[in-house]
Amino acid sequence: FKKYYPKLAESLRNKRCDDYEFTILNNLKKGVEQGVYRKEIDVNLVGQFFFTASANLFNSEMIDLQKNYSVEEIELSNLEYHIRAISTPKGLDILEKILKKLN
């Protein structure tokens, strides 16, 4: 994509970075304030971990995942993994309730 449409690829990358700032960092800050995410997490570092992991889920090395799992399953598992790592017991209770509704 970058090779054939470099300007569009750059535009999408910039949009993704703006979305990162707005959605991921705001969610982490709000979660810490509400007591659903652990207060000692480094919001910027954890946000970058999640952003990078999410962005790389569908790179060439990860294509094999799509042979056994749907895109939705991969994304949900990544999100659940991330949330479990940063949640307080209160946050885990909320996560479990959400997951039960999905099943």
XYZ file of all heavy atoms in Angstrom:
853
model
N 0.826 -1.184 0.000
C 0.000 0.000 0.000
C 0.876 1.254 0.000
O 0.673 2.171 -0.779
C -0.938 -0.049 1.202
C -1.984 1.019 1.199
C -3.056 0.947 0.331
C -1.895 2.089 2.050
C -4.031 1.932 0.323
C -2.852 3.071 2.063
C -3.929 2.993 1.190
N 1.860 1.257 0.888
C 2.773 2.409 0.975
C 3.539 2.614 -0.334
O 3.822 3.742 -0.703
C 3.783 2.211 2.103
C 3.235 2.413 3.476
C 4.372 2.423 4.464
C 4.237 1.312 5.444
N 5.262 1.311 6.459
N 3.864 1.512 -0.978
C 4.657 1.581 -2.189
C 3.901 2.277 -3.325
O 4.455 3.095 -4.048
C 5.052 0.173 -2.627
C 5.890 0.121 -3.888
C 6.274 -1.307 -4.205
C 7.078 -1.384 -5.472
N 7.496 -2.761 -5.770
N 2.614 1.956 -3.486
C 1.845 2.466 -4.620
C 1.055 3.735 -4.312
O 0.738 4.498 -5.210
C 0.905 1.374 -5.145
C 1.655 0.189 -5.682
C 1.737 -0.991 -4.962
C 2.329 0.276 -6.900
C 2.442 -2.080 -5.456
C 3.048 -0.804 -7.393
C 3.097 -1.977 -6.671
O 3.797 -3.036 -7.159
N 0.725 3.925 -3.035
C -0.066 5.101 -2.645
C 0.570 5.780 -1.429
O -0.011 5.822 -0.346
C -1.500 4.687 -2.304
C -2.198 3.947 -3.412
C -2.306 2.558 -3.386
C -2.736 4.647 -4.483
C -2.939 1.877 -4.415
C -3.371 3.970 -5.514
C -3.478 2.591 -5.468
O -4.105 1.922 -6.486
N 1.777 6.304 -1.576
C 2.493 6.848 -0.410
C 1.776 8.012 0.266
O 1.778 8.108 1.493
C 3.845 7.271 -0.976
C 3.645 7.401 -2.443
C 2.554 6.436 -2.801
N 1.156 8.896 -0.502
C 0.467 10.042 0.108
C -0.754 9.579 0.893
O -1.001 10.068 2.002
C 0.059 11.059 -0.954
C 1.232 11.812 -1.541
C 0.793 12.831 -2.551
C 2.006 13.527 -3.180
N 1.640 14.491 -4.186
N -1.510 8.664 0.341
C -2.676 8.133 1.041
C -2.253 7.357 2.281
O -2.869 7.490 3.350
C -3.499 7.240 0.106
C -4.794 6.682 0.664
C -5.710 7.798 1.158
C -5.508 5.853 -0.406
N -1.197 6.577 2.171
C -0.686 5.827 3.316
C -0.267 6.778 4.438
O -0.555 6.533 5.611
C 0.484 4.945 2.897
N 0.401 7.852 4.086
C 0.816 8.849 5.084
C -0.389 9.516 5.728
O -0.433 9.726 6.939
C 1.732 9.895 4.435
C 2.229 10.961 5.380
C 3.165 10.428 6.449
O 3.737 9.341 6.286
O 3.307 11.109 7.474
N -1.375 9.835 4.921
C -2.605 10.448 5.435
C -3.308 9.514 6.420
O -3.766 9.945 7.481
C -3.528 10.795 4.273
O -4.742 11.295 4.735
N -3.385 8.236 6.083
C -4.005 7.256 6.985
C -3.206 7.101 8.266
O -3.774 6.989 9.349
C -4.147 5.908 6.280
C -5.206 5.833 5.200
C -5.118 4.498 4.466
C -6.593 6.034 5.767
N -1.888 7.105 8.151
C -1.043 7.002 9.335
C -1.268 8.191 10.265
O -1.395 8.044 11.476
C 0.436 6.907 8.936
C 1.347 6.546 10.112
C 2.822 6.611 9.736
N 3.326 7.963 9.645
C 3.498 8.791 10.684
N 3.187 8.403 11.885
N 3.975 9.997 10.514
N -1.341 9.390 9.695
C -1.588 10.586 10.499
C -2.956 10.526 11.168
O -3.101 10.905 12.326
C -1.470 11.841 9.641
C -0.046 12.117 9.214
O 0.902 11.640 9.829
N 0.116 12.865 8.133
N -3.957 10.059 10.435
C -5.312 9.926 10.999
C -5.290 8.930 12.151
O -5.886 9.164 13.199
C -6.279 9.476 9.897
C -7.654 9.135 10.379
C -8.492 10.366 10.606
C -9.934 9.999 10.832
N -10.334 10.175 12.221
N -4.587 7.821 11.966
C -4.484 6.810 13.011
C -3.807 7.379 14.255
O -4.209 7.100 15.382
C -3.689 5.614 12.487
C -4.225 4.313 12.978
C -3.550 3.109 12.406
N -3.234 3.255 11.005
C -2.186 2.724 10.424
N -1.344 2.003 11.100
N -1.948 2.892 9.140
N -2.792 8.203 14.064
C -2.106 8.833 15.198
C -3.027 9.804 15.923
O -3.029 9.861 17.152
C -0.836 9.530 14.735
S 0.460 8.382 14.241
N -3.827 10.554 15.177
C -4.799 11.457 15.801
C -5.828 10.662 16.593
O -6.190 11.030 17.712
C -5.514 12.305 14.746
C -4.598 13.323 14.089
O -3.491 13.573 14.619
O -4.985 13.857 13.028
N -6.304 9.574 16.017
C -7.265 8.715 16.703
C -6.656 8.126 17.969
O -7.323 8.019 18.999
C -7.748 7.578 15.793
C -8.653 8.061 14.674
O -9.115 9.222 14.727
O -8.892 7.276 13.744
N -5.388 7.761 17.888
C -4.679 7.219 19.044
C -4.723 8.213 20.194
O -5.090 7.884 21.313
C -3.229 6.904 18.657
C -2.285 6.788 19.833
C -2.290 5.663 20.627
C -1.413 7.821 20.168
C -1.433 5.542 21.711
C -0.553 7.711 21.237
C -0.571 6.573 22.008
O 0.267 6.470 23.083
N -4.360 9.442 19.877
C -4.333 10.490 20.902
C -5.712 10.665 21.520
O -5.874 10.724 22.727
C -3.860 11.800 20.267
C -3.691 12.945 21.233
C -2.349 12.908 21.927
O -1.369 12.409 21.362
O -2.286 13.397 23.060
N -6.715 10.718 20.670
C -8.069 11.015 21.132
C -8.706 9.833 21.842
O -9.265 9.974 22.918
C -8.951 11.448 19.954
C -10.327 11.833 20.367
C -10.568 13.027 21.017
C -11.394 10.986 20.100
C -11.846 13.381 21.411
C -12.673 11.331 20.492
C -12.903 12.531 21.146
N -8.629 8.645 21.264
C -9.373 7.524 21.826
C -8.583 6.737 22.865
O -9.044 6.572 23.991
C -9.856 6.566 20.724
O -8.739 6.134 19.951
C -10.859 7.219 19.822
N -7.431 6.254 22.514
C -6.698 5.375 23.421
C -6.220 6.116 24.659
O -6.473 5.684 25.784
C -5.519 4.688 22.693
C -6.053 3.771 21.589
C -4.650 3.901 23.673
C -4.993 3.171 20.704
N -5.552 7.240 24.477
C -5.043 7.971 25.648
C -6.171 8.500 26.517
O -6.097 8.423 27.748
C -4.109 9.098 25.219
C -2.768 8.666 24.645
C -1.913 9.874 24.310
C -2.028 7.740 25.593
N -7.227 9.015 25.908
C -8.360 9.496 26.703
C -9.021 8.371 27.478
O -9.401 8.530 28.630
C -9.380 10.216 25.820
C -8.935 11.598 25.437
O -8.052 12.187 26.062
N -9.523 12.140 24.389
N -9.155 7.195 26.826
C -9.741 6.048 27.510
C -8.888 5.636 28.709
O -9.422 5.361 29.793
C -9.901 4.873 26.539
C -10.373 3.632 27.247
O -9.569 2.880 27.809
N -11.669 3.411 27.233
N -7.584 5.591 28.527
C -6.705 5.199 29.625
C -6.773 6.193 30.785
O -6.880 5.796 31.946
C -5.267 5.058 29.129
C -5.003 3.855 28.222
C -3.621 3.963 27.578
C -5.144 2.554 28.986
N -6.723 7.474 30.466
C -6.798 8.500 31.523
C -8.117 8.423 32.275
O -8.147 8.458 33.511
C -6.623 9.892 30.906
C -5.226 10.155 30.400
C -5.146 11.477 29.647
C -3.788 11.643 28.972
N -3.738 12.817 28.106
N -9.199 8.298 31.536
C -10.532 8.218 32.151
C -10.662 6.952 32.997
O -11.201 6.989 34.102
C -11.593 8.237 31.042
C -12.999 8.295 31.530
C -13.957 8.412 30.345
C -15.398 8.384 30.795
N -16.323 8.435 29.651
N -10.128 5.829 32.495
C -10.184 4.572 33.238
C -9.428 4.634 34.549
O -9.879 4.104 35.563
N -8.273 5.290 34.540
C -7.503 5.460 35.776
C -8.300 6.326 36.751
O -8.422 5.998 37.940
C -6.112 6.067 35.490
C -5.419 6.490 36.777
C -5.250 5.081 34.707
N -8.867 7.430 36.273
C -9.658 8.325 37.124
C -10.859 7.615 37.733
O -11.210 7.863 38.881
C -10.148 9.529 36.315
C -9.056 10.496 35.925
C -9.519 11.543 34.917
O -10.723 11.588 34.577
O -8.657 12.318 34.436
N -11.484 6.723 36.982
C -12.676 6.014 37.458
C -12.343 4.787 38.306
O -13.233 4.157 38.860
C -13.541 5.579 36.270
C -14.150 6.730 35.521
C -14.900 6.280 34.279
O -14.717 5.171 33.772
N -15.744 7.153 33.781
N -11.063 4.449 38.382
C -10.648 3.312 39.186
C -10.835 1.964 38.516
O -10.804 0.932 39.190
N -11.023 1.936 37.200
C -11.148 0.657 36.502
C -9.811 0.196 35.929
O -9.645 -0.975 35.622
C -12.248 0.677 35.415
C -13.619 0.878 36.050
C -11.989 1.725 34.366
N -8.872 1.114 35.770
C -7.508 0.779 35.369
C -6.591 1.144 36.533
O -6.840 2.104 37.264
C -7.058 1.551 34.132
C -7.872 1.301 32.888
C -8.030 2.304 31.942
C -8.470 0.075 32.634
C -8.762 2.097 30.785
C -9.209 -0.140 31.476
C -9.351 0.875 30.566
O -10.081 0.672 29.422
N -5.519 0.382 36.681
C -4.588 0.607 37.789
C -3.966 2.000 37.712
O -3.571 2.450 36.646
C -3.493 -0.459 37.779
C -4.036 -1.844 38.073
C -2.973 -2.944 38.100
N -2.506 -3.254 36.755
C -1.255 -3.069 36.341
N -0.339 -2.581 37.143
N -0.908 -3.376 35.109
N -3.894 2.659 38.848
C -3.403 4.043 38.877
C -1.921 4.162 38.575
O -1.454 5.203 38.145
C -3.723 4.699 40.227
C -3.011 4.075 41.387
C -3.377 4.743 42.693
C -2.667 4.009 43.819
N -3.087 4.445 45.108
N -1.154 3.087 38.770
C 0.292 3.178 38.570
C 0.736 2.954 37.127
O 1.930 3.039 36.843
C 1.028 2.208 39.504
C 0.815 0.745 39.200
C -0.424 0.142 39.861
O -1.199 0.870 40.492
O -0.598 -1.078 39.737
N -0.207 2.682 36.209
C 0.220 2.477 34.823
C 0.720 3.793 34.223
O 0.259 4.865 34.576
C -0.890 1.880 33.928
C -2.058 2.855 33.760
C -1.338 0.527 34.416
C -3.062 2.448 32.687
N 1.676 3.670 33.355
C 2.171 4.810 32.588
C 1.268 4.906 31.353
O 1.393 4.104 30.420
C 3.624 4.585 32.197
C 4.235 5.738 31.423
O 3.516 6.397 30.637
O 5.448 5.958 31.589
N 0.343 5.842 31.369
C -0.674 5.958 30.329
C -0.057 6.066 28.931
O -0.508 5.403 27.992
C -1.609 7.154 30.631
C -2.512 7.467 29.465
C -2.431 6.868 31.883
N 0.977 6.866 28.804
C 1.602 7.034 27.487
C 2.263 5.745 27.003
O 2.118 5.367 25.835
C 2.617 8.172 27.507
C 1.943 9.510 27.669
O 0.934 9.779 27.033
N 2.490 10.343 28.531
N 2.964 5.067 27.882
C 3.641 3.831 27.506
C 2.642 2.717 27.191
O 2.739 2.053 26.158
C 4.595 3.398 28.623
C 5.466 2.182 28.343
C 6.356 2.405 27.123
C 6.312 1.875 29.566
N 1.662 2.536 28.060
C 0.636 1.506 27.843
C -0.168 1.810 26.581
O -0.482 0.913 25.803
C -0.281 1.383 29.081
C -1.501 0.528 28.789
C 0.500 0.813 30.256
N -0.467 3.074 26.357
C -1.177 3.463 25.142
C -0.385 3.130 23.901
O -0.929 2.623 22.911
N 0.911 3.371 23.943
C 1.758 3.054 22.793
C 1.865 1.548 22.584
O 1.851 1.079 21.443
C 3.150 3.665 22.977
C 3.962 3.651 21.711
C 3.338 4.471 20.594
O 2.977 5.612 20.767
N 3.198 3.883 19.421
N 1.937 0.779 23.682
C 1.944 -0.686 23.559
C 0.698 -1.157 22.814
O 0.761 -1.949 21.893
C 1.966 -1.368 24.935
C 3.271 -1.334 25.657
C 3.298 -1.538 27.018
C 4.479 -1.118 25.005
C 4.485 -1.533 27.722
C 5.679 -1.112 25.700
C 5.679 -1.321 27.062
N -0.462 -0.679 23.280
C -1.718 -1.119 22.687
C -1.824 -0.685 21.232
O -2.224 -1.458 20.360
C -2.915 -0.596 23.492
C -4.223 -1.061 22.927
C -4.612 -2.378 23.046
C -5.053 -0.178 22.262
C -5.807 -2.827 22.503
C -6.256 -0.608 21.722
C -6.635 -1.938 21.846
N -1.466 0.552 20.962
C -1.529 1.073 19.600
C -0.645 0.263 18.661
O -1.064 -0.143 17.574
C -1.120 2.548 19.596
C -1.133 3.179 18.236
C -2.326 3.517 17.633
C 0.052 3.433 17.564
C -2.347 4.104 16.373
C 0.036 4.019 16.310
C -1.166 4.356 15.710
N 0.569 -0.009 19.092
C 1.508 -0.757 18.260
C 1.035 -2.186 18.049
O 1.072 -2.703 16.927
C 2.907 -0.744 18.900
O 3.319 0.620 19.060
C 3.919 -1.487 18.064
N 0.570 -2.819 19.104
C 0.070 -4.195 18.978
C -1.117 -4.246 18.029
O -1.189 -5.108 17.154
C -0.314 -4.746 20.345
N -2.043 -3.319 18.175
C -3.230 -3.288 17.318
C -2.862 -3.028 15.862
O -3.401 -3.658 14.961
C -4.209 -2.212 17.791
O -4.663 -2.511 19.085
N -1.952 -2.120 15.654
C -1.548 -1.770 14.287
C -0.823 -2.919 13.599
O -0.895 -3.060 12.380
C -0.660 -0.530 14.307
N -0.155 -3.759 14.385
C 0.628 -4.844 13.805
C -0.090 -6.190 13.776
O 0.486 -7.184 13.348
C 1.957 -4.984 14.545
C 2.899 -3.867 14.196
O 3.082 -3.554 13.027
N 3.472 -3.233 15.198
N -1.332 -6.225 14.205
C -2.064 -7.490 14.211
C -2.180 -8.108 12.819
O -2.266 -9.317 12.678
C -3.472 -7.295 14.775
C -3.595 -7.337 16.283
C -5.022 -7.059 16.700
C -3.133 -8.668 16.840
N -2.206 -7.286 11.812
C -2.468 -7.795 10.473
C -1.294 -7.582 9.519
O -1.480 -7.491 8.327
C -3.751 -7.175 9.931
C -4.906 -7.494 10.838
C -5.410 -6.548 11.712
C -5.451 -8.768 10.847
C -6.454 -6.868 12.574
C -6.490 -9.091 11.703
C -6.987 -8.138 12.570
N -0.089 -7.526 10.088
C 1.089 -7.461 9.217
C 1.373 -8.849 8.656
O 0.709 -9.827 9.000
C 2.292 -6.848 9.936
C 2.826 -7.736 11.038
O 2.577 -8.928 11.095
N 3.573 -7.141 11.952
N 2.339 -8.961 7.822
C 2.582 -10.215 7.103
C 2.849 -11.406 8.027
O 2.457 -12.523 7.715
C 3.719 -10.049 6.108
O 4.899 -9.666 6.777
N 3.500 -11.195 9.155
C 3.779 -12.308 10.059
C 2.517 -12.827 10.743
O 2.469 -13.958 11.178
C 4.792 -11.912 11.142
C 6.200 -11.716 10.635
C 6.513 -10.255 10.389
O 6.008 -9.398 11.102
O 7.270 -9.984 9.445
N 1.515 -11.979 10.846
C 0.298 -12.357 11.563
C -0.787 -12.893 10.632
O -1.839 -13.295 11.100
C -0.231 -11.163 12.349
C 0.746 -10.612 13.364
S 1.171 -11.778 14.647
C -0.179 -11.508 15.753
N -0.552 -12.937 9.361
C -1.558 -13.384 8.403
C -2.035 -14.795 8.742
O -3.202 -15.110 8.559
C -1.007 -13.333 6.953
C -0.658 -11.913 6.564
C -1.968 -13.958 5.971
C -1.784 -11.000 6.230
N -1.152 -15.642 9.245
C -1.541 -17.008 9.576
C -2.669 -17.064 10.597
O -3.452 -18.015 10.603
C -0.342 -17.800 10.097
C 0.631 -18.177 8.996
O 0.238 -18.124 7.813
O 1.781 -18.520 9.315
N -2.766 -16.079 11.457
C -3.865 -16.041 12.420
C -5.218 -16.055 11.726
O -6.164 -16.662 12.215
C -3.777 -14.781 13.295
C -2.786 -14.774 14.429
C -2.809 -13.421 15.122
C -3.085 -15.877 15.413
N -5.293 -15.390 10.602
C -6.559 -15.275 9.891
C -7.013 -16.605 9.284
O -8.158 -16.732 8.884
C -6.485 -14.191 8.827
C -6.323 -12.812 9.427
C -6.220 -11.729 8.375
O -6.518 -11.948 7.213
N -5.778 -10.574 8.788
N -6.135 -17.578 9.242
C -6.531 -18.901 8.754
C -7.411 -19.614 9.770
O -8.232 -20.450 9.410
C -5.291 -19.746 8.454
C -4.475 -19.242 7.286
C -3.240 -20.090 7.089
C -2.384 -19.521 5.968
N -1.100 -20.223 5.835
N -7.224 -19.298 11.047
C -7.946 -19.993 12.115
C -8.932 -19.128 12.881
O -9.771 -19.660 13.604
C -6.943 -20.590 13.106
C -6.030 -21.600 12.453
O -6.483 -22.484 11.749
N -4.732 -21.449 12.660
N -8.806 -17.803 12.754
C -9.640 -16.891 13.522
C -10.167 -15.780 12.629
O -9.486 -15.334 11.710
C -8.845 -16.250 14.674
C -8.252 -17.259 15.617
C -6.929 -17.669 15.483
C -9.009 -17.810 16.640
C -6.373 -18.600 16.344
C -8.457 -18.743 17.502
C -7.148 -19.141 17.354
O -6.608 -20.060 18.206
N -11.340 -15.295 12.965
C -11.883 -14.157 12.224
C -11.199 -12.879 12.702
O -10.585 -12.849 13.782
C -13.392 -14.039 12.452
O -13.662 -13.632 13.783
N -11.310 -11.834 11.918
C -10.756 -10.537 12.293
C -11.348 -10.090 13.629
O -10.634 -9.600 14.508
C -11.023 -9.486 11.187
C -10.646 -8.098 11.666
C -10.262 -9.846 9.925
N -12.636 -10.298 13.798
C -13.305 -9.899 15.042
C -12.744 -10.655 16.240
O -12.534 -10.076 17.308
C -14.815 -10.120 14.942
C -15.503 -9.203 13.972
C -15.383 -9.662 12.509
O -15.019 -10.842 12.239
O -15.631 -8.827 11.626
N -12.505 -11.967 16.086
C -11.946 -12.760 17.186
C -10.543 -12.280 17.550
O -10.207 -12.186 18.735
C -11.887 -14.241 16.806
C -13.226 -14.915 16.731
C -13.136 -16.326 16.177
O -12.462 -16.520 15.132
O -13.736 -17.223 16.804
N -9.752 -11.974 16.555
C -8.385 -11.496 16.798
C -8.413 -10.160 17.526
O -7.718 -9.973 18.534
C -7.606 -11.384 15.464
C -7.423 -12.774 14.843
C -6.255 -10.704 15.688
C -6.934 -12.740 13.408
N -9.216 -9.236 17.052
C -9.286 -7.911 17.673
C -9.842 -7.987 19.094
O -9.330 -7.325 19.997
C -10.123 -6.976 16.814
C -9.424 -6.591 15.528
C -10.272 -5.724 14.613
O -11.518 -5.721 14.740
O -9.686 -5.045 13.756
N -10.884 -8.788 19.298
C -11.465 -8.913 20.633
C -10.470 -9.543 21.608
O -10.335 -9.089 22.742
C -12.765 -9.723 20.588
C -13.470 -9.905 21.921
C -13.866 -8.544 22.524
C -14.697 -10.783 21.765
N -9.759 -10.558 21.163
C -8.760 -11.196 22.031
C -7.642 -10.236 22.398
O -7.190 -10.209 23.545
C -8.175 -12.436 21.359
O -9.146 -13.439 21.272
N -7.191 -9.440 21.440
C -6.159 -8.442 21.713
C -6.659 -7.419 22.732
O -5.948 -7.077 23.685
C -5.736 -7.756 20.414
C -4.655 -6.726 20.639
O -3.615 -7.014 21.210
N -4.911 -5.507 20.189
N -7.866 -6.951 22.560
C -8.437 -5.965 23.478
C -8.619 -6.562 24.871
O -8.278 -5.933 25.877
C -9.768 -5.443 22.938
C -10.455 -4.380 23.766
C -9.566 -3.156 23.946
C -11.773 -3.985 23.112
N -9.135 -7.790 24.943
C -9.325 -8.435 26.245
C -7.984 -8.623 26.955
O -7.855 -8.354 28.156
C -10.019 -9.788 26.073
C -10.246 -10.495 27.392
C -10.895 -11.854 27.244
O -11.325 -12.228 26.131
O -10.957 -12.561 28.263
N -6.984 -9.067 26.224
C -5.640 -9.258 26.777
C -5.127 -7.946 27.373
O -4.613 -7.896 28.493
C -4.725 -9.763 25.660
C -3.291 -9.975 26.042
C -2.888 -11.152 26.668
C -2.325 -9.014 25.769
C -1.558 -11.359 27.003
C -0.998 -9.217 26.105
C -0.624 -10.390 26.717
O 0.686 -10.597 27.053
N -5.270 -6.871 26.614
C -4.818 -5.545 27.039
C -5.552 -5.092 28.304
O -4.929 -4.657 29.278
C -5.047 -4.562 25.897
C -4.903 -3.126 26.268
N -3.694 -2.535 26.535
C -5.844 -2.154 26.408
C -3.888 -1.261 26.838
N -5.177 -1.005 26.755
N -6.867 -5.203 28.289
C -7.661 -4.722 29.423
C -7.371 -5.534 30.682
O -7.254 -4.969 31.774
C -9.158 -4.710 29.082
C -9.411 -3.629 28.026
C -10.006 -4.464 30.327
C -10.825 -3.596 27.489
N -7.229 -6.832 30.542
C -6.910 -7.652 31.724
C -5.569 -7.235 32.344
O -5.398 -7.291 33.556
C -6.876 -9.133 31.361
C -8.248 -9.721 31.144
C -8.205 -11.227 30.962
N -9.520 -11.746 30.677
C -10.465 -11.950 31.582
N -10.236 -11.673 32.849
N -11.640 -12.420 31.238
N -4.647 -6.817 31.529
C -3.320 -6.435 32.025
C -3.331 -5.140 32.828
O -2.493 -4.960 33.701
C -2.347 -6.306 30.855
N -4.263 -4.249 32.546
C -4.231 -2.933 33.186
C -5.372 -2.697 34.170
O -5.409 -1.666 34.839
C -4.221 -1.801 32.129
C -5.496 -1.798 31.296
C -2.978 -1.901 31.260
C -5.628 -0.617 30.356
N -6.292 -3.650 34.282
C -7.498 -3.438 35.089
C -7.296 -3.652 36.574
O -6.479 -4.469 37.001
C -8.623 -4.374 34.623
O -9.100 -3.991 33.381
N -8.101 -2.942 37.315
C -8.250 -3.181 38.749
C -9.315 -4.272 38.908
O -9.979 -4.641 37.933
C -8.747 -1.898 39.452
O -10.045 -1.575 38.925
C -7.785 -0.737 39.280
N -9.530 -4.783 40.115
C -10.619 -5.746 40.308
C -11.977 -5.186 39.841
O -12.779 -5.912 39.238
C -10.600 -6.013 41.811
C -9.148 -5.832 42.181
C -8.698 -4.669 41.326
N -12.201 -3.918 40.087
C -13.435 -3.272 39.618
C -13.531 -3.337 38.089
O -14.578 -3.651 37.521
C -13.460 -1.804 40.083
C -14.643 -1.008 39.616
C -14.525 0.443 40.106
C -15.617 1.316 39.544
N -15.484 2.713 39.983
N -12.439 -3.052 37.414
C -12.404 -3.109 35.960
C -12.609 -4.519 35.429
O -13.277 -4.723 34.420
N -12.032 -5.502 36.122
C -12.201 -6.898 35.703
C -13.654 -7.340 35.831
O -14.153 -8.087 34.982
C -11.282 -7.813 36.507
C -9.800 -7.693 36.183
C -8.965 -8.531 37.148
C -9.526 -8.093 34.744
N -14.330 -6.888 36.884
C -15.753 -7.210 37.037
C -16.560 -6.667 35.860
O -17.420 -7.361 35.314
C -16.310 -6.631 38.347
C -15.847 -7.385 39.576
O -15.399 -8.549 39.440
O -15.937 -6.808 40.676
N -16.269 -5.444 35.473
C -16.968 -4.831 34.337
C -16.665 -5.603 33.061
O -17.574 -5.908 32.275
C -16.575 -3.349 34.199
C -17.084 -2.553 35.399
C -17.104 -2.766 32.887
C -16.533 -1.138 35.502
N -15.404 -5.950 32.860
C -15.012 -6.713 31.676
C -15.743 -8.045 31.618
O -16.266 -8.432 30.565
C -13.497 -6.932 31.663
C -12.957 -7.806 30.529
C -13.225 -7.158 29.167
C -11.474 -8.077 30.718
N -15.787 -8.763 32.728
C -16.467 -10.068 32.762
C -17.944 -9.931 32.405
O -18.492 -10.760 31.673
C -16.306 -10.722 34.132
C -14.892 -11.169 34.444
C -14.366 -12.258 33.509
O -15.174 -13.029 32.935
O -13.141 -12.325 33.339
N -18.591 -8.889 32.892
C -20.009 -8.666 32.566
C -20.194 -8.405 31.071
O -21.125 -8.919 30.446
C -20.573 -7.508 33.384
C -20.744 -7.841 34.846
C -21.196 -6.630 35.647
C -21.208 -6.983 37.135
N -21.470 -5.820 37.981
N -19.307 -7.634 30.506
C -19.381 -7.342 29.061
C -19.164 -8.610 28.253
O -19.881 -8.881 27.286
C -18.367 -6.241 28.678
C -18.774 -4.906 29.287
C -18.232 -6.132 27.162
C -17.711 -3.818 29.192
N -18.166 -9.395 28.645
C -17.873 -10.633 27.919
C -19.022 -11.633 27.997
O -19.310 -12.342 27.027
C -16.580 -11.256 28.425
C -15.304 -10.471 28.113
C -14.095 -11.106 28.805
C -15.075 -10.374 26.614
N -19.694 -11.697 29.142
C -20.851 -12.584 29.274
C -21.965 -12.182 28.330
O -22.640 -13.015 27.731
C -21.375 -12.593 30.716
C -20.565 -13.442 31.633
C -21.144 -13.473 33.019
C -20.237 -14.251 33.950
N -20.748 -14.266 35.322
N -22.170 -10.878 28.160
C -23.203 -10.387 27.234
C -22.871 -10.742 25.790
O -23.762 -10.967 24.991
C -23.373 -8.874 27.354
C -24.071 -8.442 28.611
C -24.216 -6.926 28.638
C -24.833 -6.471 29.929
N -24.964 -5.009 29.981
N -21.571 -10.778 25.457
C -21.156 -11.099 24.090
C -21.336 -12.575 23.767
O -21.440 -12.950 22.618
C -19.690 -10.701 23.875
C -19.390 -9.217 23.906
C -17.889 -8.970 23.779
C -20.132 -8.496 22.777
N -21.332 -13.411 24.785
C -21.461 -14.868 24.555
C -22.847 -15.318 24.675
O -23.823 -15.183 24.541
C -20.602 -15.655 25.550
C -19.128 -15.418 25.290
O -18.723 -15.239 24.164
N -18.346 -15.421 26.338
